[in-house]
Amino acid sequence: GAVVSQHPSRVICKSGTSVKIECRSLDFQATTMFWYRQFPKKSLMLMATSNEGSKATYEQGVEKDKFLINHASLTLSTLTVTSAHPEDSSFYICSASDSGGLGTDTQYFGPGTRLTVL
Amino acid sequence: EDKVVQSPLSLVVHEGDTVTLNCSYEVTNFRSLLWYKQEKKAPTFLFMLTSSGIEKKSGRLSSILDKKELFSILNITATQTGDSAVYLCAVAGYGQNFVFGPGTRLSVLP
């Protein structure tokens, strides 16, 4: 089946530093990748949608200069949290879709990355 | 290897029908099972289950967990067209992150 991985699975950093999270589709080409943030009551907020080779589309209220997204290839998207602050501490989840190539537009979710900013 | 299996993968029903969606899992150090409804954008949180045998209910939706048999069901009664969505099951283990299932695509016809 379609597998999506994220790296690292958890990261602790100091306030003011930048953190990069990778999302990889392991056995399919992901034309579209999505980045979510999970809030304490388990809801998932879509941060941005990225298509390979083009700029990400950010949701309203998400700072594109703070959350840099790069979708450089059909199997890799990265989210960089720049100048992280404690309020950025959260669980970040990516999902990937082949936009129909596998027969559906199903999103396959990664395991998430837990970010803690001290 | 941790995994989550959902069945059926897709389902087509008519308004008023009752549906049962299944989620079975294998995960190390189980902590919780979550159900989400995904329509267009971000999945919407429905339920979090941690204890066996306790039904959680919200309107026409209900869910229950069986930690012995390692599965959960999501029931939707008197379905409406607005229930059409992908329903995701995810499992979290202590010290681990999530394992999402592939989802069940539900289509409710008028």
Side-chain angles (χ1 to χ4, degrees):
Chain A
V3 179
V4 174
S5 70
Q6 282 185 240
H7 179 79
S9 59
R10 55 183 63 230
V11 56
I12 301 172
C13 68
K14 291 183 178 179
S15 187
T17 61
S18 294
V19 175
K20 180 186 283 188
I21 302 169
E22 293 185 348
C23 176
R24 293 182 185 271
S25 57
L26 299 185
D27 50 4
F28 67 101
Q29 293 187 328
T31 49
T32 306
M33 285 186 168
F34 305 84
W35 285 96
Y36 297 89
R37 178 173 175 175
Q38 186 186 50
F39 284 90
K41 291 194 174 182
K42 310 301 180 186
S43 63
L44 294 179
M45 180 195 81
L46 177 65
M47 299 174 67
T49 303
S50 73
N51 291 291
E52 184 266 338
S54 61
K55 288 183 179 180
T57 301
Y58 289 81
E59 296 299 304
Q60 193 172 11
V62 178
E63 299 174 58
K64 62 181 180 182
D65 294 331
K66 179 169 181 65
F67 298 99
L68 301 178
I69 291 171
N70 184 278
H71 192 162
S73 77
L74 285 171
T75 59
L76 173 65
S77 175
T78 60
L79 167 68
T80 300
V81 183
T82 62
S83 187
H85 287 96
E87 58 265 31
D88 298 324
S89 298
S90 189
F91 198 70
Y92 293 87
I93 301 175
C94 76
S95 69
S97 170
D98 75 324
S99 301
L102 288 173
T104 70
D105 57 356
T106 300
Q107 288 186 35
Y108 300 93
F109 285 82
T113 295
R114 188 171 298 281
L115 170 64
T116 303
V117 184
L118 302 176
Chain B
E1 181 185 341
D2 296 342
K3 65 179 180 181
V4 174
V5 177
Q6 290 186 248
S7 65
L9 292 181
S10 67
L11 186 59
V12 180
V13 301
H14 287 92
E15 273 194 316
D17 290 347
T18 293
V19 297
T20 298
L21 309 183
N22 303 291
C23 174
S24 62
Y25 63 90
E26 293 177 26
V27 69
T28 306
N29 297 323
F30 173 88
R31 180 179 61 178
S32 61
L33 184 146
L34 298 92
W35 283 99
Y36 289 93
K37 175 184 181 182
Q38 183 169 32
E39 295 174 271
K40 292 183 179 177
K41 291 193 172 178
T44 303
F45 171 74
L46 296 175
F47 299 109
M48 182 171 77
L49 305 161
T50 55
S51 302
S52 268
I54 299 174
E55 184 183 54
K56 291 214 171 178
K57 200 170 172 64
S58 175
R60 296 176 293 103
L61 276 66
S62 63
S63 183
I64 197 162
L65 173 68
D66 186 328
K67 288 168 71 173
K68 183 179 176 184
E69 299 297 329
L70 308 182
F71 79 91
S72 174
I73 59 172
L74 174 68
N75 277 320
I76 309 176
T77 59
T79 52
Q80 302 171 358
T81 54
D83 295 326
S84 296
V86 174
Y87 290 83
L88 294 163
C89 172
V91 176
Y94 284 102
Q96 300 169 1
N97 298 335
F98 281 97
V99 181
F100 277 86
T104 294
R105 187 177 295 269
L106 173 65
S107 299
V108 182
L109 304 178

